Structures are given as C-alpha cells and as structure tokens.
Amino acid sequence: MEKTLFEKIADGEIPADIVYQDPQCVAFRDISPVAPQHVLLVPRKPIPSLSDAGAEDAALLGHLMLTASLIAEQLGLSGQGYRVVANTGVAAGQTVPHLHFHILGGRTLEWPPG
Ligand code: AMP
C-alpha cells in the first residue's frame, strides 16, 4: 500500500520541521498553523484515524497522549494551557488519513470549536 503523507514525513522522505521523535511517533510543525504553536503528533504506525485504532493500539495511544503533554511542555505551553485535537472523519474535517493529534497553543482558544 502507498505510504501516507505523514508516513513519508516520519520516514524522512518529505521534509518537515520536526520537534520530537522516538521509535513510536514523530511530531512536526503544521505547514498551515492556526495558532502561534501548532504541532502535529503522528504515530509511525499508519492507523487511518482514531476510529480505526483497536485494543492492540492501547499502549500506543497512551504513549501519544503522554508525548503530547511532553511536547506541550517543551513548547512552553504547560503553564498557560493548550489543546490536543484529533479530527476524525469527514464531518470533523480530517484531511490526512493517518491518525494525528493537533497540539495547539500560544493564544486563547475558543470553545465550542467551529
Ligand atoms: P486534519 O485536517 O485534521 O486532517 O489535519 C491535517 C493537517 O496537516 C492540516 O492542519 C495541514 O495543514 C497539515 N499538513 C498537510 N500537509 C502538511 C505537511 N507537508 N507538513 C506539515 N503539515 C501538513
């Protein structure tokens, strides 16, 4: 199967501004940021969306959440607050079919989201 865009970034085949990586995941700055700090955290495993994650992915999902917290701290967002979002499916506006978490911060974020 053809690699997803985010697999290609994780494998270094497409350049990105990487802020964190480990054997399970990679985080890089979003190419079209919607906040002063906007990082995408993706597992190296090409799970299409959160809906496609299974029980076998429980440890990976836990690792991703803890890593999101670590990255937020690295970006200096822990004190002021930040948001972690996984757009899932068409109605939520997911455009890249590879599970990813947006880490957003650096400004006040509205609620509810649009
Ligand atoms: P989503 O709409 O939730 O699927 O998010 C996909 C995100 O990927 C969008 O915020 C895009 O701006 C971002 N994006 C698309 N291509 C790239 C790229 N080559 N490098 C970094 N971010 C990208």
Side-chain angles (χ1 to χ4, degrees), residues 3-68:
K3 286 185 180 180
T4 67
L5 170 64
F6 290 166
E7 265 184 289
K8 290 178 183 170
I9 288 176
D11 289 346
E13 295 167 15
I14 290 179
D17 186 355
I18 292 175
V19 300
Y20 174 91
Q21 58 183 318
D22 69 25
Q24 296 180 76
C25 59
V26 180
F28 49 89
R29 294 196 178 277
D30 196 293
I31 205 166
S32 302
V34 298
Q37 299 281 12
H38 186 172
V39 164
L40 299 174
L41 173 60
V42 314
R44 292 185 188 275
K45 181 178 177 182
I47 301 167
S49 82
L50 194 56
S51 297
D52 299 296
E56 69 279 11
D57 299 311
L60 174 60
L61 292 174
H63 177 71
L64 288 166
M65 289 297 93
L66 291 172
T67 302

